[in-house]
Amino acid sequence: MTDPRRARLYEELSRESRRHLAAYVLFNQAVADHLGLHPTDVQCLSLLTAEPGPFTVRQIADMTGLTTGSATRLVDRLERGGYVMRAPDQEDRRRVLVSPVPARIARVTAVWDDLGQAWEELLGEHTDDELEVITRHMRRAHDLSHAQMERLRSRPKPD
Amino acid sequence: MTDPRRARLYEELSRESRRHLAAYVLFNQAVADHLGLHPTDVQCLSLLTAEPGPFTVRQIADMTGLTTGSATRLVDRLERGGYVMRAPDQEDRRRVLVSPVPARIARVTAVWDDLGQAWEELLGEHTDDELEVITRHMRRAHDLSHAQMERLRSRPKPD
DNA sequence: CCCCAATCGCTGCGCGGCGCAGCAATCCCG
DNA sequence: CGGGATTGCTGCGCCGCGCAGCGATTGGGG
């Protein structure tokens, strides 16, 4: 059951995961400082560009974990900065479709691409199989985090 | 050079990484809400428990990316909540050593351990080699993020 | 031995992101 | 056609955060 070697592997992965995530938070903050934005804004742009298609304000709120009110303010900032555009949805006139502005977004992706090369060097040392293993783990970790988060939200708080 | 299959693997890993990181941020926030803390506080506790030994306020500031002033306030909150203890450093009386309070920290780790089981199930489907691949990737990604962050900080801002 | 620069942690101050509650507009369904 | 649900927006207050400055302490150079 508790193979000490496996336990050690788990422990180490846990540790590295925390450090990795902490580093990401710091890195995200550095990018935000560099661009004169807020970490939330950069995070939002990352999500907007990760998947295609315009998003509604509500979708952005759900993705970032803020309320619709704060999401409105977030889109306000991004729109004022020229990073996104608002457009009314003809199908449902209550909705507002938010689309990234490629020309402006390029300033952000330029920072990412700058590291992209270093990233590719890092990934280049992996075989196809290894990359798939990592990717699969990411996806499953994402699904698990998501499920646990929802479970956590629908549970009575201690205190 | 640009093997389309490799390019697709990179693309997919990039996408999953973003989603994974976004999910972590949301999950971290959910944990914070659940405990009545702030995401920063939870993040700090995660780092405090990831590595042993007391930390100075400055170390905490560096780890979390905030200023020493904000780190002081952070430690204030954690101390008021009973999660950490302050202790003067005899060797250097300017410093203050911050140590986690295990009994109180247990409330946080309890939340994590609750998912720990699901995590082990997830990890259990991997072979030892695969786990090492993932761990190694995490570590190298951490190192790269850290290096890129420092490079980003010591560079002139656009605008 | 003393003096001065550097470091550490703490504290007012103001900014601004955020949640909350309420709003009008719009859609959906009976 | 009417009532409830949904969407996005807006005051309001809270509070985390960076900034600048403070005293205390340390280490090093003259």
Side-chain angles (χ1 to χ4, degrees):
Chain A
M1 169 85 199
T2 48
D3 183 348
R5 191 169 36 96
R6 291 290 286 187
R8 204 181 57 78
L9 287 175
Y10 289 174
E11 180 93 17
E12 196 163 356
L13 180 53
S14 169
R15 252 193 42 152
E16 289 303 327
S17 287
R18 292 193 196 186
R19 294 184 62 200
H20 172 244
L21 293 167
Y24 167 73
V25 173
L26 291 183
F27 171 71
N28 195 59
Q29 210 164 53
V31 173
D33 289 344
H34 186 70
L35 294 171
L37 296 174
H38 299 272
T40 313
D41 303 16
V42 177
Q43 175 72 12
C44 178
L45 290 179
S46 168
L47 293 171
L48 285 183
T49 56
E51 298 181 33
F55 296 90
T56 67
V57 174
R58 170 152 297 272
Q59 282 176 319
I60 293 177
D62 290 338
M63 287 190 300
T64 54
L66 338 118
T67 61
T68 60
S70 300
T72 295
R73 302 308 216 310
L74 169 59
V75 175
D76 285 346
R77 290 196 301 272
L78 292 178
E79 191 181 31
R80 191 172 346 119
Y83 293 97
V84 300
M85 278 184 50
R86 276 191 170 97
D89 184 356
Q90 305 90 320
E91 296 184 3
D92 188 338
R93 297 210 312 244
R94 290 173 302 181
R95 297 183 184 170
V96 172
L97 297 180
V98 180
S99 305
V101 177
R104 185 70 171 174
I105 294 283
R107 299 186 50 178
V108 186
T109 54
V111 178
W112 289 335
D113 289 345
D114 197 19
L115 346 149
Q117 189 180 359
W119 258 94
E120 293 208 357
E121 286 178 14
L122 189 155
L123 297 180
E125 300 182 14
H126 285 295
T127 66
D128 291 6
D129 288 342
E130 289 175 346
L131 288 181
E132 284 183 358
V133 165
I134 297 170
T135 302
R136 201 167 59 109
H137 173 261
M138 291 278 187
R139 177 173 12 247
R140 298 180 58 204
H142 163 266
D143 293 342
L144 179 58
S145 295
H146 195 74
Q148 298 288 10
M149 180 198 67
E150 291 196 337
R151 216 183 89 198
L152 213 54
R153 283 185 178 174
S154 63
R155 200 195 294 181
K157 300 182 182 182
D159 237 3
Chain B
M1 170 84 198
T2 47
D3 186 347
R5 190 170 36 97
R6 291 290 286 187
R8 204 181 57 76
L9 286 176
Y10 289 174
E11 180 96 15
E12 195 162 358
L13 179 53
S14 169
R15 255 191 40 154
E16 290 303 327
S17 287
R18 293 192 195 186
R19 295 184 60 199
H20 172 247
L21 293 167
Y24 166 73
V25 173
L26 291 183
F27 171 71
N28 195 58
Q29 209 163 52
V31 173
D33 289 343
H34 186 71
L35 293 171
L37 295 175
H38 299 272
T40 311
D41 302 16
V42 177
Q43 175 72 11
C44 179
L45 291 178
S46 169
L47 293 172
L48 284 182
T49 56
E51 299 181 32
F55 297 90
T56 67
V57 174
R58 171 154 297 273
Q59 283 176 319
I60 292 177
D62 290 338
M63 287 192 298
T64 53
L66 344 110
T67 62
T68 59
S70 300
T72 295
R73 303 308 217 311
L74 168 60
V75 175
D76 285 346
R77 291 196 302 272
L78 292 177
E79 191 181 31
R80 192 171 346 119
Y83 293 98
V84 300
M85 277 185 49
R86 275 190 172 96
D89 184 356
Q90 305 88 317
E91 296 185 3
D92 189 338
R93 298 208 313 242
R94 289 172 302 182
R95 298 184 185 169
V96 172
L97 298 179
V98 180
S99 304
V101 177
R104 185 69 172 175
I105 293 284
R107 299 186 49 178
V108 186
T109 54
V111 178
W112 290 335
D113 289 343
D114 197 17
L115 345 150
Q117 189 179 359
W119 256 95
E120 292 208 356
E121 287 179 14
L122 189 155
L123 297 180
E125 299 183 13
H126 285 294
T127 66
D128 292 4
D129 289 341
E130 289 175 347
L131 287 182
E132 284 182 359
V133 166
I134 296 171
T135 302
R136 200 167 57 109
H137 173 261
M138 293 276 186
R139 175 167 20 241
R140 299 180 57 205
H142 163 264
D143 293 341
L144 179 57
S145 295
H146 195 74
Q148 297 288 10
M149 181 199 65
E150 291 196 336
R151 217 183 86 197
L152 213 54
R153 283 185 178 173
S154 63
R155 200 194 295 183
K157 299 183 181 181
D159 242 1

